[in-house]
Amino acid sequence: MNFSDLGLSDELQKAIGDAGYTTPTPIQEQAIPYVLMGRDVLGCAQTGTGKTAGFTLPMIEILASGRARARMPRSLILEPTRELAAQVANSFEKYGAQHKLSMALLIGGESFSDQERKLDRGVDVLIATPGRMIDLYERGKILMSDVKILVIDEADRMLDMGFIPDVERIVSLLSPIRQTLFFSATMPPEIRRLADAFLQNPKEVSVAPPASPATTVTQGLLVVDQDDKREVLRRLIRSEDVKNAIIFCNRKRDVDILHKSLIKHGFDAGALHGDMAQSKRTETLERFRNNEIRLLVASDVAARGLDVQGLSHVFNFDVPIHAEDYVHRIGRTGRAGREGRAFTVAMPEEGRAVAAIVKLIGRDIPPVDVEGISTLELSYDDVKRGRGRGGRTASSSTSSDRPRRDRAPREKQREKQEISAQVEVAPQVEVATQVEAAPSRPLRERSERKPRERQPRERKPREGASDEALRPISMDREANVTTIPFQARRDSQRQDNQRQDNHRRHDRYEDDDRRVVGFGDHLPAFLARPSKVAGG
Ligand code: AMP
């Protein structure tokens, strides 16, 4: 099938040709004709499938006739993160090059006055994150009654991030006479119910089965002691032919720690997480996209939808807490049919989390070894995640009575070798030299797995190292799962008035360390309604 068979105008076909696309992707083939017919669409599609063009192209076609009035956008696209919103705005610019449609991007971290000025002039397309959208509505800067097309993108991510109450609120402000396009990478029952509430007689389109990583991604798993994690990552980066890579951590503070550590070891790396100023986030992403930095250490804010052309590698420095995040993370590579490699560094006590991923993706993640690092076996004991290294169980010693461990001689030896290598060669040269000099590839799939008995070891603080940098990652996690500060914050939020709450909303959204599970305290109206979904 060609784009000309989909009912798109000559202008759009020119823009598509200029973008270098020759044939529509399956989601575009399925969705575009229905959107052009004015039907509601329920799309189950992951990022990387071309779904953005699947809704933006027919939207441009529909919006091409008609004019926007001041403060009354004609269409609204809701995205869970600022980066995704900015990416969709770029797509609109690209595909709408032959049209004179006006567009505004409403995302946190950008100046209100610029965004308000654009709205005042009237926009055809409004692309927004839910928090900023509501803030501007409450300031009386937008009227929603003219929105004829609503797109809710990455609905499952919206759910994960606790945005559904705001999405519900926004939908309640819109005219029921509208076209709604709803996309989600996965379709769990709660997303189905949401779709039931927002869509009218939708046409369902679906591409790749949910939660299946691209077959072009080679995966590998390394199970190591917590204290070996950074070293194993460095060795992996050096031994692999890394053009560019995203390294995912579960916690923002670990993003910062790992970023500093990589810089210290001579790697060109940037960091990206939700606590950073938007200007810094945009700048870092731009530098990464332009290949000015090779490694991007990131929280899951970068896991969904980010489209970095030709990303060669993904490293999971932490096993993701939610199995489906694994699929999203590794989906940043192996896009558009290209080869990609994804490696996950796990600790023995993360056996259950790894098992959940294996169950979700329906296949094993092959174990691999890195030369010079002892790999371990996963433990599937009933160990709580984030309770410290060594797979402690409830009956194990507490952190206060555990002996501090001495750094193992092999670790000291490794560090010495590394320092001398750094003195002799620049980091880039070092990578090439190591790869060439190695008689066989240091990274190999394991043929035989030898369980190693884990010895309790003590850790001595390194001279000159800060407490923060030295704190084991599990301790950080421990700090993060402590409920008291979070509870206290929530209590104080309740006491605050609505206005203050609105101003803080943005920060809460971006705070991906403190995930809102499901709907938090909120009972959305659609959940109170009976569902037509079988088993839902
Ligand atoms: P998306 O899933 O919308 O994030 O798109 C993923 C990537 O596919 C983006 O880099 C798009 O530019 C690209 N893309 C979208 N449609 C096509 C197409 N028909 N042919 C080739 N590439 C496409």
Side-chain angles (χ1 to χ4, degrees), residues 3 16 19-28 45-57 84 87-88 91 94-95 153-154 305-309 332 335-336 338:
F3 278 106
I16 292 164
Y21 308 159
T22 48
T23 45
T25 64
I27 190 77
Q28 292 163 3
Q46 293 173 310
T47 56
T49 55
K51 77 173 152 72
T52 315
F55 62 81
T56 46
L57 289 170
L84 277 174
Q87 211 164 270
V88 171
S91 298
K94 185 163 64 175
Y95 307 136
D153 196 17
E154 300 277 334
L306 270 201
D307 186 26
V308 177
Q309 293 289 323
R332 299 309 96 218
R335 288 162 80 80
R338 288 200 185 92

Side-chain angles (χ1 to χ4, degrees), residues 389-421:
R389 58 176 291 275
R392 279 184 297 136
T393 60
S395 59
S396 305
S397 59
T398 62
S399 59
S400 54
D401 61 18
R402 251 183 327 137
R404 290 169 77 80
R405 65 170 220 144
D406 215 347
R407 282 165 64 214
R410 68 184 161 86
E411 202 180 324
K412 287 181 186 162
Q413 178 65 23
R414 223 185 287 135
E415 200 151 285
K416 264 194 208 157
Q417 284 166 353
E418 197 170 281
I419 289 166
S420 58

Side-chain angles (χ1 to χ4, degrees), residues 445-461:
E445 263 198 41
R446 265 198 267 167
S447 48
E448 200 184 316
R449 316 197 69 198
K450 288 196 198 111
R452 187 172 70 106
E453 214 164 280
R454 309 182 69 232
Q455 302 294 332
R457 290 184 283 176
E458 274 192 16
R459 177 178 205 155
K460 265 191 200 158

